[in-house]
């Protein structure tokens, strides 16, 4: 492995942290050392951590980042996750369902804007999670793959094995389903009355059916740092292709509405740790948490995909930041490009993104 070029490993960080980061840069980070990094506090130790993660990102992906367009096509949901604006019981949640033609129009617009992938997301809408609904989801995927020929992700919640199989056959590239935590007790408080194992298994099935998978955790929802470290290594075990950590944003009308957001540093530490443990995986810096102002910090902590870009004029919503910058057109690729340039980053080509996913797909079991 090439040595890191920056001063990240030299700096003023404590000897202990320097030694851990040197090992991490060679791909040998043990869980106990990862926990020490999650507990880092002094500015020098933190700087060295972020800088090492940033250098590893650079070594793997150069100065190029990927960008994802987000289409929240139905905000109805049968579940009651305690952190989510769109939980069933929340009367304050904005609800809508987009029709097939409108989804196509939005996706086309996103394609034209230059994003690398369309992420088709919804709540666990009972009108999608039914026999007829699954057909509808399959038809969206079929149309999008045929008419648009773009890399495609779906995030509609837990799907049955049979539906995942058909999605795989239609050429779907990604299935995203976030556990939020790998601590079962905390899971039961966050994803009330949902089955931990069923959610994990859906990801295994998706991989077996030829899709890349994304796993994710929330930060600031009652997890310990041990939990975060455990999640980062569980993601490795499950061979997730894209891994994310997102800071919690309180939502009105939910049981967690008065819980504050965690400090950005906690999220940055989790992102950096993910980069150290998953050097060549994709890691999102989501617009959905703090908008533009937080993107740079997340990218500097080692993320390499800008997600949750939303076109204006379709009255679409985000998840954690439902309205932020959508109608002002700031939440678009052209809105973030100047900012990326300031950070010394560039938007990668669609060709290079396609190459990345095709190579990863070729490595899936049964290929
Ligand atoms: N309904 C589908 C599901 O839950 O899998 C897809 C919806 S989308 C992918 C929901 C994700 O956004 C959650 O898994 C969670 O990680 C994130 N999210 C939801 N509410 C949030 C909040 N208040 N703060 C931060 N992230 C949040
Ligand atoms: C994001 N709001 O990227 C989106 C969403 C679902 N696959 C992604 C959480 O932040
Ligand atoms: Fe529904 Fe997903 Fe929100 Fe949970 S996170 S309430 S499953 S939309």
């Amino acid at each position: 492995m090439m040595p890191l070029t920056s001063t990240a490993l030299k700096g003023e960080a404590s000897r202990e942290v320097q030694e851990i980061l040197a090992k991490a840069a060679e791909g040998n980070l043990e869980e106990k050392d990862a926990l020490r990094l999650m507990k880092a506090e002094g500015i020098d130790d933190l700087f060295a951590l972020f800088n090492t993660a940033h250098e590893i990102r650079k070594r793997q992906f150069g100065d190029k980042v990927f960008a994802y367009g987000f289409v929240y096509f139905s905000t109805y949901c049968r579940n009651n996750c305690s952190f989510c604006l769109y939980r069933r019981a929340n009367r304050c949640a904005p609800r809508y369902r987009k029709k097939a033609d409108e989804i196509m129009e939005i996706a086309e617009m996103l394609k034209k804007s230059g994003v690398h992938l369309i992420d088709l997301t919804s709540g666990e809408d009972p009108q999608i999670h039914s026999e007829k609904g699954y057909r509808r989801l399959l038809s969206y995927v079929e149309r999008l793959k045929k008419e648009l020929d773009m890399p495609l992700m779906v995030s509609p919640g837990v799907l049955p094995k049979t539906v995942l199989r058909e999605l795989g056959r239609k050429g779907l590239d990604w299935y995203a389903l976030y556990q939020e935590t790998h601590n079962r007790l905390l899971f039961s408080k966050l994803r009330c009355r949902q089955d931990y194992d069923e959610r994990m298994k859906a990801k295994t099935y998706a991989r077996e059916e030829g899709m890349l998978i994304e796993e994710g955790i929330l930060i600031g929802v009652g997890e310990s740092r041990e939990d975060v470290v455990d999640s980062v290594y569980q993601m490795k075990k499950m061979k997730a292709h894209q891994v994310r950590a997102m800071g919690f944003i309180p939502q009105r009308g939910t049981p967690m509405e008065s819980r504050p957001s965690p400090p950005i540093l906690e999220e940055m530490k989790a992102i950096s740790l993910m980069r150290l443990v998953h050097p060549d995986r994709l890691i999102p810096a989501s617009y959905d948490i703090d908008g533009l102002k937080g993107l740079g910090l997340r990218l500097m902590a080692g993320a390499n995909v800008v997600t949750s870009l939303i076109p204006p004029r379709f009255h679409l919503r985000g998840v954690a930041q439902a309205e932020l910058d959508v109608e002002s057109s700031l939440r678009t690729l052209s809105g973030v490009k100047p900012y990326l340039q300031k950070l010394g980053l560039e938007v990668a080509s669609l060709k290079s993104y396609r190459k990345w996913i095709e190579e990863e797909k070729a490595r899936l079991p049964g290929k």
Side-chain angles (χ1 to χ4, degrees):
M1 206 175 272
M2 254 166 57
L4 296 183
T5 50
S6 87
T7 51
L9 307 176
K10 302 181 197 114
E12 299 297 320
S14 64
R15 177 175 281 271
E16 189 193 6
V17 166
Q18 284 191 45
E19 284 173 4
I20 295 175
L21 290 175
K23 276 199 274 173
E26 284 163 16
N28 308 313
L29 183 67
E30 290 170 35
E31 283 196 45
K32 69 168 180 17
D33 291 336
L35 183 60
R36 172 66 186 84
L37 295 179
M38 269 314 285
K39 289 183 177 162
E41 268 175 4
I43 182 93
D44 293 322
D45 283 358
L46 286 171
F47 184 73
L49 168 62
F50 300 148
N51 211 10
T52 305
H54 173 68
E55 288 289 325
I56 293 175
R57 199 260 335 268
K58 209 163 152 183
R59 185 168 70 190
Q60 296 288 340
F61 298 94
D63 292 326
K64 301 277 199 281
V65 294
F66 300 124
Y68 290 2
F70 183 64
V71 187
Y72 207 179
F73 69 96
S74 166
T75 61
Y76 288 87
C77 191
R78 64 183 177 188
N79 287 337
N80 257 324
C81 300
S82 48
F83 52 85
C84 181
L85 176 65
Y86 302 100
R87 67 199 304 270
R88 185 184 67 223
N90 192 3
R91 295 226 192 117
C92 307
R95 308 277 179 195
Y96 62 80
R97 272 184 201 104
K98 296 290 177 197
K99 297 228 158 57
D101 286 341
E102 202 171 3
I103 295 174
M104 291 307 298
E105 195 187 335
I106 296 165
E108 244 162 67
M109 180 148 176
L110 278 168
K111 180 180 180 178
K112 275 195 204 125
S113 79
V115 299
H116 301 105
L117 168 136
I118 311 284
D119 176 2
L120 206 56
T121 294
S122 69
E124 287 199 3
D125 183 347
Q127 291 197 13
I128 292 157
H129 290 257
S130 65
E131 273 317 308
K132 222 171 129 191
Y134 293 139
R135 298 282 125 221
R136 199 176 304 139
L137 177 66
L138 280 157
S139 74
Y140 297 161
V141 167
E142 186 165 12
R143 267 189 83 177
L144 283 165
K145 285 309 286 181
K146 274 200 186 132
E147 294 174 31
L148 225 62
D149 185 29
M150 275 283 282
L152 184 63
M153 169 184 274
V154 301
S155 330
V158 177
L159 295 172
K161 199 174 179 177
T162 47
V163 177
L164 288 167
R165 171 161 299 163
E166 290 182 63
L167 286 169
R169 287 191 183 140
K170 298 222 180 293
L172 178 64
D173 304 285
W174 287 93
Y175 179 54
L177 192 69
Y178 315 138
Q179 208 70 15
E180 323 301 354
T181 176
H182 299 81
N183 172 331
R184 285 173 185 265
L185 181 63
L186 182 57
F187 178 92
S188 67
K189 293 182 190 157
L190 297 173
R191 289 198 160 269
C192 323
R193 300 215 190 94
Q194 295 173 48
D195 187 328
Y196 182 97
D197 296 301
E198 190 192 20
R199 200 167 173 88
M200 286 300 276
K201 272 190 215 143
K203 290 171 261 205
T204 312
Y205 296 147
R207 258 186 98 249
E208 289 169 0
E209 297 303 338
M211 284 161 265
L212 305 181
I213 53 171
E214 182 181 15
E215 175 63 303
I217 52 169
L218 286 175
I219 301 293
V221 288
E223 77 290 352
S224 66
R225 284 170 172 156
E226 283 81 358
D227 289 334
V228 174
V229 171
D230 177 50
S231 285
V232 172
Y233 283 87
Q234 294 245 13
M235 291 171 174
K236 187 95 178 167
K237 238 186 266 163
M238 64 196 279
K239 300 198 171 88
H241 301 88
Q242 182 164 296
V243 292
R244 71 161 69 200
M246 294 204 298
F248 166 70
I249 305 283
Q251 305 294 331
R252 74 197 139 89
T254 68
M256 289 170 73
E257 73 180 331
S258 26
R259 189 184 180 94
S261 287
I264 175 83
L265 281 175
E266 283 306 304
E267 195 182 327
M268 289 173 72
K269 281 194 264 184
I271 290 177
S272 289
L273 192 58
M274 285 182 177
R275 178 55 70 208
L276 302 189
V277 177
H278 303 258
D280 60 353
R281 305 293 82 184
L282 305 185
I283 303 181
S286 176
Y287 203 108
D288 202 33
I289 308 299
D290 289 332
L292 202 53
K293 72 175 172 3
L295 276 188
L297 293 172
R298 291 169 175 88
L299 290 165
M300 288 305 131
N304 71 325
V305 187
V306 175
T307 67
S308 204
L309 298 175
I310 303 179
R313 293 185 292 278
F314 290 97
H315 307 288
L316 287 165
R317 303 287 176 145
V319 177
Q321 293 284 3
E323 292 172 45
L324 182 72
D325 295 342
V326 177
E327 295 309 326
S328 66
S329 300
L330 260 180
R331 196 159 165 172
T332 55
L333 193 55
S334 45
V336 302
K337 255 186 198 163
Y339 189 71
L340 292 176
Q341 267 163 11
K342 272 197 209 155
L343 298 171
L345 297 169
E346 266 178 68
V347 178
S349 66
L350 178 57
K351 197 171 155 206
S352 65
Y353 184 71
R354 284 191 201 275
K355 183 164 176 274
W356 194 93
I357 58 175
E358 288 316 322
E359 283 174 3
E360 290 300 326
K361 279 190 183 175
R363 282 195 204 117
L364 286 172
K367 292 284 158 176

